[in-house]
Amino acid sequence: MGAGGNDMTLAEKLTHLRITSNISQEELANKLKVTRQSVSKWESGENSPQIDKIQEICELYKISADELLNDKIVIHRGKKLIPSIGEGFKTKYFGTDGFRGEVNKVLTGDHAYEIGRFLGWFYAQPEYSGQKPGYRPRIVIGKDTRRSSYMLEYAVAAGIAASGGDVSLLHVTTTPSVSYITRTDGFDCGVMITASHNPFYDNGIKVINSNGEKLEDEVAFLVEAYIDKDMKKLGIEENDLPFASRENIGTINDYSSGRNRYIAYLISLAKHSMKTLKIGLDTANGASFMIAKSVFNAIGAETHVINNNPNGLNCNLDAGSTHIEKFAKFVKDNKLDVGFAFDGDADRCIAVDENGNEVDGDKIMYLLANKLKREDSLSGNTVVATIMSNSGLNKALKAKGIDIVQTKVGDRFVYERMQKDNFAVGGEQSGHIIIKKYATTGDGVLTAIMVAEEMLERKEKLSKLVAPVILLPQKIKNVRVTNKAAVVDDENVKQAFEKVNKKIGDNGRALLRQSGTEPVVRIMIELDNEKQCDEYIDEIYQVIKKRGYICE
């Protein structure tokens, strides 16, 4: 929020207060006896109100001048309360990135409608919303380019409206844009329809809280209770949630202006003109297919874009951050300065240097940590990574006097640790990078801007900026299994890993983890000998196969 991470600028406060008070710019202009253009300039940060208008605004919204003018004071009208569920509960459908799976097999339109029904009801409850009885929740929805995203979007919206909530549609947009608009425009929550880097036939429903963060597990648990019609957990005696009627039925409105404000926000973060840079973009036929090019063109870069023609069936198909090979060749063959590849919802970014070499999330974190340290903005002098990050990152950061802490895999866990200790940057090898100063979630386009900024600031090629990170060979085998939790807990599998780790010794490591979004376990070997990596992976794979977990 604003330039200070958890800060909130005057422009953001003016926008937030107006929207949460259900006042249009024209209505506010009439109240303050100014032009609508003046209000618009205040909210964009182009101009600030005069002192007499500041006083009138404070009286109108019943807020002190200090609360309005002090960027360190963050205001949220209608503070949300987390329900108390107790300890030891587990979610059934919602993983680390929402409810995800193959459409009409795992995730259906009925599920989407039920999630909408719950959200429209839940955020109207005074004990959770902090609002007065009769409050109409405001929920914003975005989606990626999959064919099924439209079906799921309409179903969620219908459910919200049926429960009495008002829906604002951002249409095709990125996950980080939904996060940004949810927190800056005062929505009760946001919903993103996406399965991120998964193939087009999968989709997901990701719910974002009013702070722009991933939904609390306690709320997800109650969503699932409603899906399973376990109404007692919701304190409801009837068989269903109440329906809104007559004038209380919710509205569904276009909100593409919110997406445009997000684009303007990204553009505003660039301190340098990029007119000297030739930048390649691979938008994975996904949510960033319009946004990424618009942003970099506005900053002045010469852009060369591939995989920007979505048809509903080609999202992530041999494209984007998980299929970097063709894009790397594209960058090298076209003699570009740098390339940035995103995934389906653009919360990831993988870079490619001028020689066509991949620059993964580990190397990007190294670059950004050095940038922030030089700017005296690396709070705690620490980077937050996950257990999957390469040992080469640890060594390179240590050589620069920067500490590193590791979490479980998942950008959610990275962000939680960043929040807990107020660390400035963190991320994953896969390209989820969180820069707390600017965002509450991974943002691929934002990450790309910051990498390009560092190239211009240092007047260096990307290859040189990340050269100190010497990665150990790391082989990962994704194994589709019948029960991923059972594989991880299996004693025979554990013994196989212990055996391999003893063989590797101090020269590397072996790691097993389950995917948070797919029925997959990942076998990872990190060792400076690719042949041995393959041998150890096969050794462990054969144990998993012998135990009967492999999906044939």
Side-chain angles (χ1 to χ4, degrees):
M1 211 178 265
N6 288 330
D7 296 358
M8 193 174 193
T9 65
L10 173 61
E12 289 175 336
K13 289 180 184 180
L14 292 173
T15 305
H16 174 77
L17 289 166
R18 179 182 61 76
I19 290 174
T20 54
S21 300
N22 290 318
I23 301 174
S24 70
Q25 286 187 341
E26 190 168 345
E27 289 170 331
L28 180 60
N30 290 335
K31 287 177 183 290
L32 299 176
K33 295 182 173 56
V34 297
T35 64
R36 190 197 63 77
Q37 287 79 6
S38 294
V39 174
S40 179
K41 288 181 179 180
W42 297 346
E43 293 184 358
S44 69
E46 188 176 338
N47 287 331
S48 296
Q50 298 292 325
I51 293 297
D52 61 327
K53 296 306 172 187
I54 290 286
Q55 293 173 339
E56 290 181 43
I57 290 167
C58 290
E59 291 173 7
L60 176 64
Y61 295 125
K62 295 180 173 55
I63 189 172
S64 71
D66 191 45
E67 287 176 303
L68 185 64
L69 298 174
N70 187 342
D71 287 359
K72 296 295 181 184
I73 299 176
V74 178
I75 55 173
H76 282 298
R77 286 291 163 91
K79 183 175 176 58
K80 310 300 179 294
L81 305 175
I82 301 173
S84 177
I85 303 297
E87 297 181 358
F89 69 90
K90 288 186 178 181
T91 53
K92 179 179 177 183
Y93 306 118
F94 280 75
T96 54
D97 277 299
F99 189 165
R100 188 181 294 184
E102 185 170 347
V103 176
N104 287 340
K105 289 189 176 180
V106 176
L107 175 63
T108 68
D110 288 341
H111 290 132
Y113 177 74
E114 288 165 343
I115 291 169
R117 283 275 284 133
F118 175 86
L119 296 175
W121 167 82
F122 177 80
Y123 287 109
Q125 304 308 300
E127 61 266 38
Y128 301 130
S129 68
Q131 302 284 2
K132 295 178 181 178
Y135 174 69
R136 295 171 67 95
R138 299 175 58 255
I139 298 173
V140 65
I141 303 177
K143 65 175 180 286
D144 70 14
T145 56
R146 296 161 212 266
R147 178 175 289 180
S148 61
S149 292
Y150 295 79
M151 172 186 81
L152 296 173
E153 174 196 44
Y154 298 152
V156 173
I160 293 168
S163 288
D166 291 332
V167 180
S168 296
L169 301 178
L170 290 170
H171 308 290
V172 173
T173 193
T174 64
T175 291
S177 74
V178 176
S179 171
Y180 174 80
I181 291 301
T182 299
R183 65 188 173 89
T184 58
D185 286 12
F187 284 96
D188 294 287
C189 74
V191 178
M192 180 65 186
I193 312 296
T194 184
S196 192
H197 59 282
N198 286 25
F200 84 90
Y201 49 78
D202 286 347
N203 216 327
I205 298 174
K206 186 185 298 187
V207 185
I208 296 165
N209 70 19
S210 60
N211 295 320
E213 303 159 349
K214 293 186 179 181
L215 187 69
E216 300 85 0
D217 288 338
E218 292 86 350
V219 182
F221 181 79
L222 294 180
V223 177
E224 295 182 348
Y226 177 62
I227 291 172
D228 291 338
K229 293 300 179 284
D230 189 351
M231 305 305 289
K232 288 184 179 179
K233 289 177 180 172
L234 305 181
I236 302 288
E237 294 183 4
E238 290 77 14
N239 294 326
D240 203 348
L241 294 174
F243 283 93
S245 61
R246 299 189 177 184
E247 70 276 8
N248 294 319
I249 293 172
T251 61
I252 301 175
N253 304 292
D254 170 76
Y255 205 66
S256 53
S257 60
R259 181 182 61 202
N260 295 337
R261 271 202 308 284
Y262 166 74
I263 291 173
Y265 170 66
L266 290 180
I267 293 168
S268 74
L269 297 179
K271 298 175 183 176
H272 301 83
S273 167
M274 297 188 184
K275 63 182 180 181
T276 60
L277 291 181
K278 293 188 289 183
I279 296 177
L281 301 170
D282 182 345
T283 61
N285 296 308
S288 65
F289 82 100
M290 291 187 296
I291 291 175
K293 180 176 173 61
S294 298
V295 168
F296 278 100
N297 282 351
I299 302 171
E302 178 185 319
T303 55
H304 300 253
V305 191
I306 65 170
N307 297 316
N308 61 333
N309 293 294
N311 61 16
L313 306 179
N314 61 358
C315 184
N316 296 316
L317 183 62
D318 295 325
S321 61
T322 53
H323 302 277
I324 203 75
E325 299 81 10
K326 291 179 182 177
F327 181 56
K329 186 176 186 302
F330 175 82
V331 170
K332 184 177 180 180
D333 289 352
N334 286 277
K335 297 180 172 56
L336 306 183
D337 296 300
V338 65
F340 300 108
F342 312 110
D343 63 340
D345 65 334
D347 63 352
R348 297 185 183 196
C349 173
I350 295 293
V352 174
D353 71 18
E354 73 283 359
N355 300 314
N357 296 315
E358 178 181 346
V359 177
D360 68 4
D362 284 347
K363 291 184 175 182
I364 291 173
M365 282 189 280
Y366 172 82
L367 178 149
L368 293 177
N370 280 286
K371 172 179 168 63
L372 291 170
K373 185 168 185 176
R374 193 178 67 252
E375 296 169 353
D376 199 28
S377 297
L378 188 63
S379 53
N381 193 45
T382 299
V383 172
V384 182
T386 75
I387 56 173
M388 290 296 285
S389 277
N390 196 284
S391 301
L393 172 64
N394 302 33
K395 293 177 181 177
L397 288 173
K398 186 177 180 180
K400 288 289 185 177
I402 298 172
D403 297 326
I404 183 170
V405 296
Q406 293 183 318
T407 71
K408 292 192 293 184
V409 174
D411 60 325
R412 173 181 188 159
F413 303 113
V414 171
Y415 181 70
E416 286 175 355
R417 184 61 189 272
M418 291 172 66
Q419 280 288 83
K420 177 177 177 288
D421 294 317
N422 195 33
F423 293 138
V425 67
E428 297 186 282
Q429 188 181 57
S430 60
H432 283 121
I433 308 294
I434 304 172
I435 309 170
K436 193 163 173 278
K437 184 177 181 179
Y438 302 118
T440 56
T441 187
D443 189 327
V445 181
L446 169 60
T447 299
I449 291 170
M450 292 299 130
V451 171
E453 281 276 298
E454 180 69 348
M455 291 171 62
L456 292 168
E457 183 73 29
R458 297 280 299 280
K459 297 181 174 60
E460 295 283 5
K461 295 184 181 298
L462 181 56
S463 60
K464 185 171 181 179
L465 292 175
V466 299
V469 185
I470 301 171
L471 301 178
L472 281 175
Q474 196 179 68
K475 288 288 188 76
I476 299 173
K477 184 178 180 69
N478 294 324
V479 183
R480 209 165 185 85
V481 293
T482 54
N483 187 329
K484 56 189 179 183
V487 175
V488 173
D489 291 334
D490 189 286
E491 287 301 322
N492 293 73
V493 176
K494 287 181 181 179
Q495 288 173 14
F497 266 88
E498 286 177 13
K499 185 179 177 181
V500 168
N501 269 314
K502 283 182 180 178
K503 291 179 182 177
I504 293 173
D506 295 331
N507 298 315
R509 59 184 176 135
L511 186 68
L512 176 70
R513 76 169 190 90
Q514 51 183 311
S515 167
T517 58
E518 301 174 272
V520 164
V521 294
R522 309 192 201 283
I523 305 169
M524 191 272 281
I525 305 291
E526 191 175 270
L527 183 65
D528 195 10
N529 186 314
E530 291 198 35
K531 183 181 177 184
Q532 282 188 321
C533 281
D534 292 331
E535 290 173 357
Y536 290 144
I537 284 175
D538 187 63
E539 184 177 328
I540 294 166
Y541 174 83
Q542 292 303 326
V543 174
I544 296 173
K545 184 177 181 180
K546 187 176 179 180
R547 297 291 293 162
Y549 293 116
I550 306 292
C551 287
E552 300 296 345

